[in-house]
Short mmCIF file of all heavy atoms in Angstrom, two decimals:
data_model
loop_
_atom_site.label_atom_id
_atom_site.label_comp_id
_atom_site.label_asym_id
_atom_site.label_seq_id
_atom_site.Cartn_x
_atom_site.Cartn_y
_atom_site.Cartn_z
N LEU B 141 -10.70 162.51 155.27
CA LEU B 141 -9.73 162.73 156.35
C LEU B 141 -10.40 163.44 157.53
O LEU B 141 -10.22 163.07 158.69
CB LEU B 141 -8.56 163.56 155.81
CG LEU B 141 -7.38 163.79 156.74
CD1 LEU B 141 -6.71 162.47 157.10
CD2 LEU B 141 -6.36 164.73 156.09
N ALA B 142 -11.21 164.45 157.19
CA ALA B 142 -11.92 165.19 158.24
C ALA B 142 -12.87 164.26 159.00
O ALA B 142 -12.97 164.32 160.22
CB ALA B 142 -12.69 166.35 157.62
N ASP B 143 -13.54 163.38 158.25
CA ASP B 143 -14.47 162.44 158.88
C ASP B 143 -13.72 161.42 159.74
O ASP B 143 -14.12 161.14 160.88
CB ASP B 143 -15.29 161.71 157.82
CG ASP B 143 -16.30 162.63 157.14
OD1 ASP B 143 -16.72 163.60 157.79
OD2 ASP B 143 -16.65 162.39 155.98
N ASP B 144 -12.62 160.87 159.18
CA ASP B 144 -11.85 159.86 159.91
C ASP B 144 -11.27 160.39 161.21
O ASP B 144 -11.30 159.73 162.25
CB ASP B 144 -10.70 159.34 159.03
CG ASP B 144 -11.22 158.45 157.91
OD1 ASP B 144 -12.39 158.03 158.01
OD2 ASP B 144 -10.48 158.19 156.97
N ARG B 145 -10.73 161.58 161.12
CA ARG B 145 -10.07 162.16 162.30
C ARG B 145 -11.04 162.91 163.21
O ARG B 145 -10.64 163.42 164.25
CB ARG B 145 -8.98 163.14 161.85
CG ARG B 145 -7.92 162.53 160.94
CD ARG B 145 -6.78 161.98 161.76
NE ARG B 145 -5.75 161.41 160.90
CZ ARG B 145 -4.45 161.68 161.01
NH1 ARG B 145 -4.03 162.54 161.90
NH2 ARG B 145 -3.59 161.09 160.22
N ILE B 146 -12.29 163.02 162.77
CA ILE B 146 -13.28 163.87 163.45
C ILE B 146 -12.63 165.22 163.69
O ILE B 146 -12.54 165.74 164.81
CB ILE B 146 -13.79 163.24 164.76
CG1 ILE B 146 -14.13 161.77 164.54
CG2 ILE B 146 -15.00 163.98 165.29
CD1 ILE B 146 -14.63 161.05 165.77
N ALA B 147 -12.17 165.79 162.59
CA ALA B 147 -11.39 167.02 162.69
C ALA B 147 -11.84 168.05 161.67
O ALA B 147 -12.32 167.69 160.59
CB ALA B 147 -9.91 166.71 162.48
N ALA B 148 -11.68 169.30 162.01
CA ALA B 148 -11.84 170.37 161.03
C ALA B 148 -10.47 170.61 160.40
O ALA B 148 -9.45 170.58 161.09
CB ALA B 148 -12.33 171.64 161.71
N ILE B 149 -10.48 170.79 159.09
CA ILE B 149 -9.22 170.92 158.36
C ILE B 149 -9.26 172.16 157.47
O ILE B 149 -10.21 172.36 156.73
CB ILE B 149 -8.97 169.67 157.48
CG1 ILE B 149 -8.84 168.42 158.35
CG2 ILE B 149 -7.71 169.85 156.62
CD1 ILE B 149 -8.76 167.13 157.57
N VAL B 150 -8.22 172.98 157.58
CA VAL B 150 -8.07 174.07 156.61
C VAL B 150 -6.97 173.64 155.64
O VAL B 150 -6.01 172.98 156.03
CB VAL B 150 -7.72 175.42 157.27
CG1 VAL B 150 -8.89 175.94 158.06
CG2 VAL B 150 -6.49 175.32 158.14
N MET B 151 -7.14 173.98 154.38
CA MET B 151 -6.21 173.48 153.37
C MET B 151 -5.31 174.60 152.85
O MET B 151 -5.78 175.67 152.49
CB MET B 151 -7.00 172.88 152.20
CG MET B 151 -6.13 172.17 151.21
SD MET B 151 -7.12 171.28 150.02
CE MET B 151 -7.94 172.62 149.18
N LEU B 152 -4.02 174.30 152.85
CA LEU B 152 -3.02 175.26 152.39
C LEU B 152 -2.25 174.68 151.23
O LEU B 152 -2.04 173.47 151.16
CB LEU B 152 -2.02 175.54 153.51
CG LEU B 152 -2.48 176.26 154.76
CD1 LEU B 152 -1.65 175.80 155.93
CD2 LEU B 152 -2.31 177.75 154.57
N LYS B 153 -1.80 175.54 150.36
CA LYS B 153 -0.92 175.04 149.31
C LYS B 153 0.49 175.61 149.50
O LYS B 153 1.42 175.25 148.79
CB LYS B 153 -1.46 175.35 147.92
CG LYS B 153 -1.85 176.78 147.70
CD LYS B 153 -0.70 177.60 147.19
CE LYS B 153 -1.07 179.03 146.98
NZ LYS B 153 -0.81 179.82 148.18
N GLU B 154 0.61 176.52 150.44
CA GLU B 154 1.93 177.06 150.77
C GLU B 154 2.04 177.10 152.28
O GLU B 154 1.04 177.30 152.98
CB GLU B 154 2.07 178.49 150.24
CG GLU B 154 1.99 178.61 148.73
CD GLU B 154 1.85 180.05 148.28
OE1 GLU B 154 1.74 180.94 149.15
OE2 GLU B 154 1.86 180.29 147.07
N THR B 155 3.25 176.94 152.77
CA THR B 155 3.40 177.01 154.21
C THR B 155 3.24 178.45 154.69
O THR B 155 3.43 179.39 153.92
CB THR B 155 4.77 176.46 154.65
OG1 THR B 155 4.79 176.34 156.08
CG2 THR B 155 5.90 177.36 154.21
N VAL B 156 2.85 178.60 155.93
CA VAL B 156 2.68 179.94 156.50
C VAL B 156 3.39 179.96 157.85
O VAL B 156 3.57 178.91 158.49
CB VAL B 156 1.18 180.30 156.66
CG1 VAL B 156 0.51 180.41 155.30
CG2 VAL B 156 0.46 179.30 157.53
N PRO B 157 3.81 181.12 158.30
CA PRO B 157 4.60 181.21 159.52
C PRO B 157 3.92 180.61 160.74
O PRO B 157 4.57 180.06 161.62
CB PRO B 157 4.79 182.73 159.70
CG PRO B 157 4.59 183.31 158.35
CD PRO B 157 3.63 182.43 157.64
#
Side-chain angles (χ1 to χ4, degrees):
Chain B
L141 186 63
D143 290 332
D144 288 345
R145 303 270 181 130
I146 314 179
I149 298 173
V150 291
M151 188 171 66
L152 293 150
K153 51 89 180 91
E154 297 168 356
T155 189
V156 294

